[in-house]
Amino acid sequence: MRTIPLPLLTLALAFLIGTSPAGAEPTNLFHFKLPHARAFRLQETNGPWLRAWPEGEGTNWVEFGARLVLQVEAGADAARLAGGLPVVRRVNEGIYILDAGTAANAARLAQRLAAEPGVAACYPVMRRPHMLQGPYAPYPTDKAFFQLWPLENRNADGSHAGPDLNVRAAWPYTHGEGVTVAVDDVGVELAHPELSNNAAGAPHHNFVLGTTNGNPVNRTAGGAHGTEIAGLLDASLDDFRMVGVAPKARLASEVIFDSNLTLAADDQLMDAYEFASNEVAIQNHSWGAAATVAAQVGPTALEQAGISNALAYGRHGLGTIMVRAAGNGRGIQQDANDSGWASDPRAIAVASLASNGRVASYSDPGACLLLAAPSGDPPNGFNPLFTTDLLGTDGANTLNFFPPNQDLNNYVFSTLGFSGTSASAPQISGVAALMLSVNTNLTWRDVQQILLLSSRQFDFADPALSTNGAGFAVSDNLGYGVPDAGIAVSLARLWTNVPAAVNVTLTSTAEQDIPASGLNVVLTDGAGLALNSAIAAPDLGAHADRPTALLPLVDVGLATNAIGFSLTNRGALIERGVNNYIDKINFVRQAGAAFAVIYNYPLAAGQTGAPGGDDLLVMGGTDFAPIPAVFIGNTDGENLKSLQSLFPTATAQIKLASATYSFAVTNTLLCEHVAVRILADNQIRGNLRITLTSPSGTISVLGRYNSDVTPGPTDWTYYTTHCFYENSAGTWTVNVTDEGEGNFGQINQVSLTISGTPAPNGSPRSRQQILDSYLLPNPQAPVQPDFSPWIGSLGRVSWTAQAGAPYEVFAGTNPAALNLVTNITGVFPVTEWFPNTQPPAQFFAVKKAP
């Protein structure tokens, strides 16, 4: 059986000129005829090509060269119009290509000639950014590829089954060749057959012992950690059981733990960050500070020096790419922003999600998170990942497999597999390696922006998910989501380096007290008079960072079952007991409630203390509460119930009492990372909720209720990625709320720092505008589909498409008489169709429907 693919679209190379980004505001308006009159704004440069933006047509750019296209009308004097310019080529009677010497000369002459009588068309030769239309790599022959769902997660018919990295869309262009990635960990089993080829000759180093031995520090399960990471990143293709994201990248093992799994000293870590920084392009750090409470801890001065040097001088000044695991401390309410390693804006902080698209139960939240990648989530029934282990029965897999499957001793999988944000980070390191392989000139900021532009969200029920002012979907749980490696590589191939960042800092030294017991449920009568104010403890999900609407409060009892009446435009008052909190909250939300107030059950007879009565507690298991929900004491709950009955027109509201700082920013930057530094002495730091609201209305949660009982934050800088590409101009607001009971504290200083680049015309750039500028095809151009085998008898027809546009797909054995077989609505940037390719061989065609 043989299938006949359609011809591939010829790739028009788009060499990048200058240092301005795609979409940067160009200068110099020129008018050409193509043959219709069109205006272009040209970027000033002395290079061989001039980048230009069609006036009034968005951010799609073209490039003009040094040759001139001249088409004359019948009877016109071509020689006179050409003015003595050398004729490079006579295309046909009336159309000539002339040599203008330089691109700048060609632009000037083309504009002058376009206005001459007798000229039908005149413009400099032109090229546009194009790419091959979605080719897909062959199905790997690695025997366990079907278990590697993070790489490709599809149903049997080719449709998407859940989150994945879509690596087969990147592999036609690269497998990571020419890029060295270092695993900074406990060492790697360098003799492992999946890893040995890529590890050969790489710059291995043990920074604890000062040797070039990059092998594991011990043969226990803990000593297998680096090998498990390396397999997900770099296992070879088509050789054995599995394959990594970047299967031909060079693998360096940098050992930063001793045999007792104790982290290296800070001077040794400094050396590790700087090591071979012009050879090692990417460092993977799947480790963090051990903690039993949510403490704030970060790099020492020596570590900071090493990190700064790697970013400033690594890769010959482009910066070492640092990828960090977000952390596995969700169970103790750890926030990634409390880790100075994960929150560093120069690093890529990576969260974990399970195969259902939801954040893993252990993965730290945080506004500093940039991305997420797949991992296991055993507590919720999702198996760990398949990856490499120490050889034989050493390491995490101590089972002994017999022939013919004895090689399974060298892997972890199923319930013995690998989980945690440690498993997610190397997958992002692998995608970064693919990107650098096709464009070695990317800076560390370029890499971050390409990754977030190519990322997708998969859990739209996540209460933390919102759309920022530039149209990006971002979440405290998963950052901008999971990158599509195919899109990331396509963007990397066409990318123009972003300009140098500008930093703007504003500081307030106005001291403010932090209001104690700042989270409250307030009941007011019809005239607005407060009838009752109840101190509340927060849930862990949706939060009333903006006050809820003033709504009647309806008593629903224990809410152990679905509510049989509507709670639309109501709040729900619920008694604790019988079922868990999240079920109660979901029941009232399904009935339409806007918020929930859960009150403690009464003390039992003879009881004098917890767990009932007026004790407050944070409601566990409410990370995904879909509406704001709070917990109050029994007395307050009974009072609210009684007062609502006595005053039928009374309304309730959840609101915060906060210390507030406002900063008026006049600079018009396209935001990247935004930082808030706070010096405070709150009695219990873990009671604080700290938020930043941008001029676009995006709320970033910088600090949340956690288990830290020490004072502070004494001096800590929080970061958010949530404002990427928003306009910096306007009022930024920092709110600090104590959500504990009866504590006190004071803020001494707050600073806001915005990092970004000047905004063209003072305007933000939406995600769609940026992607369109690189990936959107000419709407008038014919569709150029690609055919790639997918798996078995299924092929994959794909094409670059406009979102929502109608397309017709044709197939048949006679290319002169193809039949319409299906209509498909376009999905940007690549639309797919999976035909059966059993004999006889077929032709396929796609065109845009009328």
Side-chain angles (χ1 to χ4, degrees):
M1 188 275 288
R2 182 171 66 93
T3 58
I4 302 175
L6 289 174
L8 296 176
L9 176 68
T10 300
L11 178 64
L13 297 177
F15 295 106
L16 306 178
I17 61 174
T19 56
S20 297
E25 180 63 15
T27 58
N28 299 336
L29 187 64
F30 283 74
H31 294 82
F32 304 136
K33 282 185 177 179
L34 288 87
H36 300 293
R38 292 179 68 189
F40 296 85
R41 290 192 175 273
L42 271 63
Q43 174 182 307
E44 291 184 348
T45 178
N46 293 321
W49 291 87
L50 290 176
R51 180 158 295 187
W53 286 258
E55 181 73 356
E57 297 182 34
T59 58
N60 293 313
W61 52 264
V62 299
E63 288 181 333
F64 292 114
R67 290 169 294 159
L68 193 70
V69 177
L70 174 65
Q71 181 179 14
V72 298
E73 296 173 351
D77 186 345
R80 180 189 66 82
L81 291 169
L85 290 178
V87 177
V88 176
R89 183 177 176 186
R90 180 175 178 272
V91 178
N92 58 35
E93 188 62 38
I95 300 181
Y96 307 87
I97 300 176
L98 312 175
D99 185 359
T102 68
N105 284 340
R108 287 191 291 268
L109 290 169
Q111 176 167 252
R112 180 176 64 79
L113 289 173
E116 291 284 333
V119 173
C122 191
Y123 60 93
V125 291
M126 178 173 60
R127 65 185 184 186
R128 303 180 179 90
H130 284 82
M131 68 188 66
L132 294 174
Q133 308 304 303
Y136 222 56
Y139 191 87
T141 60
D142 299 88
K143 290 182 284 188
F145 186 77
F146 70 96
Q147 295 188 52
L148 306 182
W149 64 269
L151 303 184
E152 181 184 55
N153 192 8
R154 293 179 182 260
N155 297 310
D157 62 356
S159 60
H160 294 280
D164 67 9
L165 297 168
N166 195 29
V167 296
R168 287 178 64 191
W171 286 348
Y173 305 105
T174 176
H175 293 103
E177 295 89 342
V179 179
T180 300
V181 186
V183 173
D184 285 60
D185 213 89
V186 299
V188 174
E189 187 80 286
L190 300 176
H192 198 293
E194 295 274 15
L195 308 173
S196 58
N197 285 341
N198 291 334
H204 310 298
H205 200 83
N206 185 313
F207 290 91
V208 176
L209 300 178
T211 69
T212 58
N213 186 348
N215 281 293
V217 296
N218 65 41
R219 308 296 297 178
T220 67
H225 191 261
T227 304
E228 293 168 317
I229 290 165
L232 294 171
L233 192 162
D234 207 32
S236 58
L237 177 65
D238 289 336
D239 289 333
F240 303 101
R241 289 276 178 180
M242 69 169 298
V243 58
V245 176
K248 291 186 180 178
R250 292 181 76 213
L251 174 66
S253 175
E254 298 185 355
V255 181
I256 57 172
F257 289 83
D258 67 15
S259 59
N260 295 318
L261 304 184
T262 301
L263 186 63
D266 62 345
D267 61 332
Q268 296 166 333
L269 288 173
M270 175 182 66
D271 293 339
Y273 287 123
E274 299 176 352
F275 182 70
S277 63
N278 284 332
E279 185 174 359
V280 172
I282 302 165
Q283 289 187 3
N284 187 92
H285 295 270
S286 289
W287 55 271
T292 55
V293 294
Q296 289 183 328
V297 60
T300 66
L302 288 179
E303 289 177 74
Q304 287 283 15
I307 294 170
S308 295
N309 286 338
L311 270 294
Y313 307 115
R315 298 176 54 236
H316 303 283
L318 297 173
T320 303
I321 311 303
M322 295 204 177
V323 181
R324 291 271 186 192
N328 302 332
R330 196 181 193 94
I332 58 169
Q333 294 89 50
Q334 179 76 40
D335 189 295
N337 241 325
D338 293 332
S339 165
W341 293 281
S343 66
D344 189 325
R346 300 165 298 182
I348 299 169
V350 183
S352 292
L353 78 168
S355 58
N356 65 345
R358 173 144 286 184
V359 63
S361 58
Y362 48 78
S363 183
D364 289 357
C368 63
L369 299 177
L370 192 72
L371 304 168
S375 191
D377 191 9
N380 286 326
F382 298 99
N383 278 344
L385 305 185
F386 189 111
T387 188
T388 47
D389 191 15
L390 302 187
L391 296 175
T393 57
D394 291 341
N397 176 9
T398 58
L399 301 177
N400 190 12
F401 291 85
F402 296 100
N405 295 313
Q406 67 273 23
D407 67 309
L408 285 174
N409 295 327
N410 306 330
Y411 300 86
V412 291
F413 49 92
S414 187
T415 56
L416 294 173
F418 191 36
S419 294
T421 56
S422 285
S424 297
Q427 298 173 56
I428 299 301
S429 294
V431 176
L434 298 175
M435 293 161 50
L436 293 181
S437 181
V438 298
N439 187 347
T440 59
N441 293 319
L442 299 175
T443 68
W444 64 267
R445 289 171 53 237
D446 294 324
V447 169
Q448 288 193 10
Q449 294 187 39
I450 291 172
L451 285 169
L452 73 86
L453 283 165
S454 66
S455 291
R456 307 143 296 158
Q457 299 287 352
F458 291 91
D459 183 10
F460 295 98
D462 179 356
L465 185 65
S466 62
T467 301
N468 76 3
F472 289 79
V474 63
S475 161
D476 287 338
N477 289 315
L478 298 171
Y480 288 89
V482 181
D484 181 308
I487 295 175
V489 166
S490 294
L491 286 171
R493 295 171 66 225
L494 300 170
W495 190 258
T496 303
N497 297 94
V498 296
V502 175
N503 291 327
V504 175
T505 299
L506 292 87
T507 298
S508 173
T509 56
E511 295 184 344
Q512 286 195 51
D513 291 331
I514 304 171
S517 306
L519 180 61
N520 298 275
V521 180
V522 179
L523 187 73
T524 58
D525 66 9
L529 179 66
L531 298 172
N532 190 75
S533 181
I535 299 171
D539 69 351
L540 302 175
H543 202 282
D545 290 307
R546 295 188 179 96
T548 63
L550 284 161
L551 299 173
L553 194 60
V554 178
D555 175 26
V556 297
L558 288 166
T560 56
N561 297 287
I563 308 300
F565 51 90
S566 175
L567 291 173
T568 301
N569 295 324
R570 300 287 189 273
L573 182 64
I574 311 169
E575 184 178 357
R576 177 189 179 192
V578 184
N579 58 336
N580 58 42
Y581 300 115
I582 190 61
D583 287 342
K584 294 175 185 289
I585 296 167
N586 283 333
F587 282 140
V588 299
R589 178 67 185 100
Q590 289 160 9
F595 60 85
V597 179
I598 300 177
Y599 66 96
N600 211 344
Y601 45 58
L603 292 172
Q607 182 183 355
T608 58
D614 291 332
D615 285 331
L616 299 185
L617 52 87
V618 176
M619 296 175 285
T622 57
D623 298 64
F624 298 97
I627 54 175
V630 296
F631 188 89
I632 62 175
N634 177 262
T635 300
D636 281 328
E638 294 294 346
N639 285 341
L640 287 174
K641 183 164 58 174
S642 175
L643 288 168
Q644 185 74 69
S645 177
L646 290 172
F647 299 90
T649 61
T651 55
Q653 180 183 51
I654 302 174
K655 61 190 301 186
L656 303 178
S658 307
T660 300
Y661 290 80
S662 295
F663 298 92
V665 177
T666 57
N667 307 73
T668 54
L669 301 179
L670 293 179
C671 294
E672 295 178 20
H673 295 272
V674 180
V676 175
R677 180 186 179 195
I678 296 181
L679 282 68
D681 64 353
N682 201 64
Q683 191 175 13
I684 299 178
R685 183 191 71 84
N687 287 345
L688 294 183
R689 185 172 185 87
I690 303 170
T691 61
L692 172 68
T693 304
S694 75
S696 297
T698 300
I699 296 178
S700 298
V701 181
L702 305 179
R704 67 188 74 234
Y705 195 98
N706 62 65
S707 57
D708 187 358
V709 296
T710 61
T714 55
D715 185 354
W716 193 258
T717 301
Y718 301 87
Y719 292 93
T720 178
T721 63
H722 289 205
C723 304
F724 253 93
Y725 297 113
E726 290 187 351
N727 192 327
S728 65
T731 300
W732 296 75
T733 305
V734 176
N735 285 299
V736 182
T737 306
D738 188 325
E739 296 189 330
E741 187 177 8
N743 301 303
F744 60 87
Q746 186 180 65
I747 300 173
N748 301 311
Q749 180 177 309
V750 177
S751 296
L752 171 74
T753 298
I754 300 169
S755 179
T757 55
N761 296 323
S763 300
R765 297 183 66 202
S766 72
R767 178 178 187 269
Q768 196 60 52
Q769 283 179 317
I770 299 168
L771 289 174
D772 285 355
S773 68
Y774 285 105
L775 304 179
L776 188 66
N778 182 346
Q780 308 305 319
V783 178
Q784 298 285 344
D786 169 80
F787 178 88
S788 297
W790 183 57
I791 184 173
S793 62
L794 287 184
R796 176 181 178 269
V797 177
S798 61
W799 61 97
T800 302
Q802 294 175 280
Y807 293 90
E808 297 175 332
V809 181
F810 298 83
T813 57
N814 181 357
L818 300 180
N819 299 312
L820 177 65
V821 293
T822 187
N823 291 278
I824 295 178
T825 300
V827 176
F828 177 82
V830 175
T831 298
E832 304 170 309
W833 177 61
F834 291 84
N836 193 305
T837 59
Q838 291 178 336
Q842 299 183 73
F843 293 90
F844 301 103
V846 179
K847 72 175 185 178
K848 205 169 181 180

